[in-house]
Amino acid sequence: MGEILVLVDHVDGAVRKSTTELLTIARRLGEPAAVFLGSGLDSALEVLGRFGATKVYVVDDATIGEYLVGPKAEALVAIAEKASPSTILVSSNAEGKEIAARAAVRLGAGLITDAIDVDADGVATQSVFAASYVVTAKVTTATAIITVKPNAAAPEISETTPAVENVAVSYSAIATSAKITSVAPRAKSGRPELTDAEIVVSGGRGVGGPEGFGVVESLADALGAAVGASRAATDAGWYPHAFQVGQTGKTVSPQVYIANGISGAIQHRAGMQTSKTIIAVNKDSEAPIFELADFGVVGDLFKVVPQLTDEIGKRKS
Amino acid sequence: MGCRHDQTPQECEHFAILRSLGGWFTPMKIVVLVKHVPDAASDRAFASDTTTDRAAVDCRLSELDEYAVEQALQVVEKAGEGEITYLTMGPEAAGEALRKSLSMGGDAGVHVIDDALHGSDALATSLVLAAALGKMEFDVVICGMASTDGTMSVVPTMLAERLGLPCLTWASSLSIDGPAVTIRRDDDDASTTITGTLPAVVSVTDQTGEARYPSFKGIMAAKKKPVTTWSLADLGIDPAQVGLSAAWSVVDSVTKRPARQAGTIVTDEGDGGVKIADYLASGKFI
Ligand SMILES: Cc1cc2nc3c(=O)[nH]c(=O)nc-3n(C[C@H](O)[C@H](O)[C@H](O)COP(=O)(O)OP(=O)(O)OC[C@H]3O[C@@H](n4cnc5c(N)ncnc54)[C@H](O)[C@@H]3O)c2cc1C
Ligand SMILES: Nc1ncnc2c1ncn2[C@@H]1O[C@H](COP(=O)(O)O)[C@@H](O)[C@H]1O
């Protein structure tokens, strides 16, 4: 079986869960080989081995972190030209999609984005038109590039000791044409990542202001959940944009999604309507969110949500 | 050269002096890529050949491209002058996306239209748009962050790759200063500033700020603005390279997801929180 390249999504060697999902999917398709770009390999290697990477290609040079995706794309292309993989799997986020787009042009490879599953034949499943359709598609070129959304597979352990192969890449002028001039890291909330969380508790315009998110966060913490927000709330600056759920934010598909003070506009639904269970609290009984809620309470979220948080606390103790 | 209607005589003179200083100062030329898409608020569907059904639903200028139009207009307003051309690839109705953009402002439109383009994938779309850009003059190409139908977010990057230009994507703010273009990008882990040199390709998100509504005057003016159409032959592209049969990925099946059914909706009578707790407990979530 040929090599399947998995581009590792990591921050200084801390491997994202989505990469362990990609390695799991890669094992269905062939021999998983990880592509690790940047520094921090030492901390990453153990995780990559645990999830079955038999080989790790490494490009670690200063250029990688200094420019927007260009060097990463050229490094991936250089490795793909050596390895001739049948499939390259990349995480479906802003950076991953951009690397995939460049690699597709360079390698003459067909591209599928935002897969929610990939089977052993390389058939990708996508959720399209605001999650109203499920589509299956396949790439017809010798190499396929597929970007895969978080939670596409349950990560399965398969212990290996990967062989490490260092690769040197010389970059073109174009790879280094978009320079990163400053990076302001975001403070970590300590809560689970929005796209990984089993439970998501969201707030919308109905929370009334930044303080209003206090009741949303308290409920999230009682449930060990992630916090999400509608665009109305992020646009107003009540909650950071990174937590926005919807068409221009994150797509989430948790076991439980609790929408508080959110009307349920199509653009919001696009990001959450594949949640297994949807619960809504809204004071307007006509709010469209109730059309898709499995359980809904028509009421004031400032009464209902704190009571729920207390009740969870009581039942836990 | 005469003054533009929206310039004061002082501004006009100022720019005339700058121009006379030598060839280095020329008004900025911007191309904005706009796509005509099925309205995201309508019941979108697939045609029998598994391509997006454009006949069954209302189509419109992609909402996410309106932000690109707005940014282009702001760049020109800030600089005091500049030229904006909208470029679209799509069937005849896509001309409406150009008219809508022109009614917001800007100068001209280019419409790439050819029956062979039906069903083109992102790679083919970028091939065609890159060829069109190759025939146009520009300092910067501004795109939306994604088309609302395909939602791939790859065309801007593919264009930059094909044209060998710097690509600054997912801008939540954008500024152009002399030969430099700078964006802020708000990723999950960090807020990042990125700089490149013109000419460049930029894509902008809906964080850049609300797009203006066309004024009545704008709508009337748009009718007189020039729109050029180009076929694949005009671009020197072999029809065999594009369209559904040339796509490098094929759709096997499309299935409508059953609409979610409304469940139990209760009115809070002082115990709404407890009822949700009961519901969560029944599903073993707590
Ligand atoms: C191109 C484009 C992209 C977009 N992308 C996104 C996206 O990614 N994500 C997104 O969310 N939106 C997105 N939107 C915006 C979307 O159309 C809606 O405007 C937005 O989702 C509305 O947010 P909301 O539900 O919080 O606010 P509203 O629609 O104003 O709803 C607020 C709700 O709160 C209820 N409420 C008020 N007070 C209380 C209270 N005390 N207790 C209980 N309920 C209360 C009200 O009854 C109302 O139903 C996008 C729009 C466009 C045009
Ligand atoms: N057919 C098209 N005509 C003009 N611009 C397009 C077309 N397709 C994509 N674009 C541009 O590329 C951006 C991203 O599109 P996509 O990669 O399809 O999500 C859009 O917001 C447009 O600016």
Side-chain angles (χ1 to χ4, degrees), chain B residues 129-178:
Chain B
L129 292 171
L133 286 166
K135 285 172 61 115
M136 301 165 78
E137 274 180 56
F138 61 85
D139 299 292
V140 62
V141 178
I142 306 182
C143 306
M145 64 181 270
S147 48
T148 56
D149 54 350
T151 65
M152 291 182 79
S153 301
V154 296
V155 166
T157 309
M158 287 179 171
L159 280 174
E161 180 69 39
R162 292 186 189 281
L163 295 166
L165 296 177
C167 188
L168 296 85
T169 45
W170 307 84
S172 49
S173 74
L174 157 71
S175 69
I176 296 180
D177 190 6

Side-chain angles (χ1 to χ4, degrees), chain A residues 11 16 68-69 93-95 97-102 104-106 108-114 116 123 126-141 174 177-186 188 193 199 223 231 234-235 241-242 244 247-248 250 255-256 258 266-267 272-281 290-300 303-305 307-308 311-312 315, chain B residues 38 40-46 51-53 63-64 67 121-123 126 145-155 157-170 182-183 185-197 205-207 210 246-258 260-281 285-286:
Chain A
V11 181
R16 284 223 168 77
L68 188 65
V69 309
N93 50 33
E95 179 176 284
K97 280 186 168 189
E98 214 178 332
I99 293 172
R102 285 188 182 270
V105 172
R106 288 274 179 106
L111 171 66
I112 290 175
T113 56
D114 297 322
I116 54 168
V123 175
Q126 294 165 291
S127 185
V128 305
F129 293 163
S132 62
Y133 275 84
V134 176
V135 166
T136 57
K138 198 169 163 62
V139 168
T140 53
T141 48
I174 210 59
S177 61
K179 187 164 175 50
I180 296 173
T181 50
S182 79
V183 179
R186 219 176 291 290
K188 290 261 177 295
E193 280 208 44
I199 304 182
L223 290 165
R231 195 178 85 168
T234 57
D235 271 0
H241 175 249
Q244 182 179 312
Q247 185 194 350
T248 54
K250 296 277 168 343
Q255 292 301 318
V256 183
I258 308 182
I266 177 80
Q267 295 90 351
M272 48 68 77
Q273 67 179 348
T274 60
S275 304
K276 308 290 174 300
T277 300
I278 296 172
I279 297 175
V281 180
F290 287 126
E291 291 163 18
L292 55 155
D294 298 286
F295 192 79
V297 172
V298 180
D300 183 350
K303 296 198 177 112
V304 176
V305 175
Q307 185 183 63
L308 171 58
E311 190 64 24
I312 293 165
R315 293 185 192 200
Chain B
S42 67
D43 246 330
R44 291 174 291 182
F46 287 94
T51 61
T52 304
D53 190 344
E63 274 170 305
L64 293 173
Y67 298 91
D121 62 4
L123 285 146
S126 66
M145 64 181 270
S147 48
T148 56
D149 54 350
T151 65
M152 291 182 79
S153 301
V154 296
V155 166
T157 309
M158 287 179 171
L159 280 174
E161 180 69 39
R162 292 186 189 281
L163 295 166
L165 296 177
C167 188
L168 296 85
T169 45
W170 307 84
T182 302
I183 67 157
R185 166 162 162 160
D186 292 313
D187 284 333
D188 290 355
D189 306 308
S191 183
T192 312
T193 318
I194 299 145
T195 303
T197 306
T205 75
D206 58 339
Q207 299 283 296
E210 280 311 303
W248 287 351
S249 57
V250 289
V251 172
D252 286 340
S253 71
V254 300
T255 317
K256 193 159 170 59
R257 217 189 268 275
R260 281 192 91 101
Q261 301 297 315
T264 311
I265 312 296
V266 300
T267 300
D268 181 32
E269 280 159 357
D271 60 351
V274 175
K275 284 195 169 139
I276 298 177
D278 289 343
Y279 183 81
L280 286 171
F285 299 118
I286 53 171

